[in-house]
Amino acid sequence: MISLGIESTAHTFGCGIISDKGKIYANVTDAYRTESGGIHPSEARKHHENAKDKVAEDALGIANLKLSDIDLISFSQGPGLSPCLLVGMAKAKELAKKLNVPLVGVNHCIAHLEIGKLMTKAKDPVLLYPSGANTQIIAYEAGKYRVFGETLDQGVGNFIDSFARYIGLGFPGGPKIEKLALDGKNYIELPYVVKGMDVSFSGILTNLKQKYGSKKYPVEDLAFSLQETVFAMLVEVSERAMAHTGKKELVLGGGVACNKRLQQMCRIMCEERNAKFSVPPNEVLVDNGLMIAWLGIVQRKQAAKNYDRIDIRPYERTDDVLVDWR
Ligand code: AMP
Ligand code: MG
């Protein structure tokens, strides 16, 4: 069985193709970027409208498959920006109708976890999922992927992007902050905000803006301190989730997980508690269609041809989804 998956929750329009054996055929993405400012939902929608046909065609071309080779279509149902989600769903429905194959909508956050399991061979991991809009620590317990900790305000990626934007860097800011941080020499104390199992970034953002505005601190030191502080928060909560659940594997997912310093901090924590740490390749850490195609396979029992009854779910939470495939 071959599945084609479409991702369009935010900045990226992606199309991936994978078989039920996990054979990867293609993973094509086209991301909306800006020189200054963040994601404007209606601009991102326009980007996706323009990109969707070519991305799907390119994926089939790279896979060396005909459209008629596809047995199943899946798409990101949520969480995400409605204008963007609607473009992905429309493309998915167009293809499913043309082929007369089943269609299934899937949860973007769970897709990160399932592709992480496939690619790292982890069996029952805790997932640290730091991305643009989302920041969650997720693990399976009693029929659902439970959220053991999460951000109380913005996602860590949006937080980093906001600070990057404030100091005049474009979107996405994460890689630029990572580069600046390499030249940081001194740790500048910042608020460290862990509440129970949750984290919060908006106060740290205000504090960073004030410090930047005071012109007393080199921007490299601010970038370095930002990373050291918020990554320590994420690692702390992940470790506590592992201790609580007794799970022995940590997997990363989400765009911020591309950050080498975050990976290093997670690795150290796992080594210290004799746990296995794995990072899937960057192409599935960022938003992508491959993980959507794979979750389509995983949830194929729910796929259906009553296309008109399938809709987007912009506010769907990880723990709303009944996990009946484990
Ligand atoms: P996603 O929402 O999962 O596609 O992830 C996008 C987010 O990942 C954006 O906020 C980026 O700034 C962030 N990001 C990408 N690469 C890095 C990196 N190397 N370090 C930190 N953040 C990153
Ligand atoms: Mg994501």
Side-chain angles (χ1 to χ4, degrees), residues 259-305:
N259 188 289
K260 292 282 178 278
R261 177 61 181 146
L262 175 61
Q263 294 178 4
Q264 183 186 38
M265 288 166 79
C266 290
R267 189 168 296 115
I268 294 168
M269 179 270 280
C270 286
E271 276 166 14
E272 286 180 354
R273 52 183 301 115
N274 277 326
K276 185 177 158 232
F277 172 63
S278 340
V279 197
N282 276 11
E283 66 161 328
V284 297
L285 291 179
V286 299
D287 288 353
N288 66 93
L290 189 68
M291 66 180 187
I292 304 303
W294 177 244
L295 189 50
I297 295 264
V298 170
Q299 286 186 227
R300 61 182 172 273
K301 275 197 212 140
Q302 294 166 23
K305 289 189 182 175

Side-chain angles (χ1 to χ4, degrees), residues 187-205:
Y187 179 76
I188 298 158
E189 195 160 332
L190 296 173
Y192 183 95
V193 191
V194 175
K195 301 182 182 185
M197 289 290 282
D198 295 324
V199 290
S200 154
F201 301 104
S202 51
I204 306 175
L205 180 60

Side-chain angles (χ1 to χ4, degrees), residues 8-311:
S8 73
T9 50
H11 43 74
T12 295
F13 194 93
C15 179
I17 304 177
I18 195 166
S19 79
D20 56 342
K21 305 279 181 304
K23 177 173 163 39
I24 296 169
Y25 287 92
N27 187 21
V28 178
T29 56
D30 188 337
Y32 159 82
R33 288 177 189 281
T34 66
E35 284 306 317
S36 63
I39 306 179
H40 196 302
S42 74
E43 294 297 320
R45 178 184 65 80
K46 276 187 220 154
H47 166 270
H48 295 353
E49 287 287 358
N50 293 330
K52 64 182 180 11
D53 295 338
K54 180 157 189 324
V55 169
E57 274 164 31
D58 286 354
L60 285 164
I62 288 168
N64 203 11
L65 293 172
K66 296 189 296 298
L67 191 54
S68 56
D69 295 323
I70 304 297
D71 306 298
L72 173 72
I73 305 279
S74 58
F75 70 99
S76 264
Q77 212 164 20
L81 302 168
S82 299
C84 300
L85 290 169
L86 287 168
V87 182
M89 181 173 73
K91 184 68 191 171
K93 286 188 177 177
E94 174 199 311
L95 294 173
K97 283 179 188 167
K98 197 188 268 180
L99 288 167
N100 192 27
V101 298
L103 175 71
V104 59
V106 303
N107 179 283
H108 176 98
C109 309
I110 293 179
H112 276 292
L113 193 143
E114 289 292 349
I115 196 79
K117 270 170 61 195
L118 176 75
M119 296 187 91
T120 67
K121 303 203 162 55
K123 294 207 168 48
D124 185 21
V126 169
L127 176 78
L128 169 57
Y129 173 43
S131 82
N134 304 291
T135 295
Q136 295 184 329
I137 291 88
I138 305 169
Y140 181 81
E141 284 290 338
K144 284 190 169 178
Y145 284 119
R146 310 280 168 180
V147 177
F148 283 87
E150 66 188 315
T151 177
L152 296 171
D153 40 45
Q154 53 199 314
V156 64
N158 284 0
F159 152 78
I160 297 175
D161 293 339
S162 298
F163 181 63
R165 192 154 76 229
Y166 192 77
I167 65 174
L169 308 172
F171 171 82
K176 294 173 184 168
I177 294 289
E178 179 174 25
K179 202 153 165 274
L180 270 181
L182 291 174
D183 294 323
K185 295 193 173 54
N186 299 301
Y187 179 76
I188 298 158
E189 195 160 332
L190 296 173
Y192 183 95
V193 191
V194 175
K195 301 182 182 185
M197 289 290 282
D198 295 324
V199 290
S200 154
F201 301 104
S202 51
I204 306 175
L205 180 60
T206 305
N207 191 280
L208 274 166
K209 286 178 174 174
Q210 285 166 350
K211 288 200 162 83
Y212 178 75
S214 76
K215 301 199 165 67
K216 282 196 222 146
Y217 307 97
V219 70
E220 294 82 3
D221 286 352
L222 290 177
F224 169 73
S225 308
L226 174 161
Q227 288 198 163
E228 294 302 303
T229 305
V230 302
F231 294 167
M233 288 161 42
L234 297 176
V235 172
E236 176 187 331
V237 180
S238 303
E239 177 164 25
R240 228 180 292 123
M242 293 172 81
H244 173 75
T245 57
K247 296 191 196 289
K248 288 286 201 187
E249 299 163 300
L250 180 69
V251 168
L252 285 180
V256 181
C258 297
N259 188 289
K260 292 282 178 278
R261 177 61 181 146
L262 175 61
Q263 294 178 4
Q264 183 186 38
M265 288 166 79
C266 290
R267 189 168 296 115
I268 294 168
M269 179 270 280
C270 286
E271 276 166 14
E272 286 180 354
R273 52 183 301 115
N274 277 326
K276 185 177 158 232
F277 172 63
S278 340
V279 197
N282 276 11
E283 66 161 328
V284 297
L285 291 179
V286 299
D287 288 353
N288 66 93
L290 189 68
M291 66 180 187
I292 304 303
W294 177 244
L295 189 50
I297 295 264
V298 170
Q299 286 186 227
R300 61 182 172 273
K301 275 197 212 140
Q302 294 166 23
K305 289 189 182 175
N306 54 350
Y307 308 120
D308 294 340
R309 299 194 57 180
I310 298 172
D311 206 351

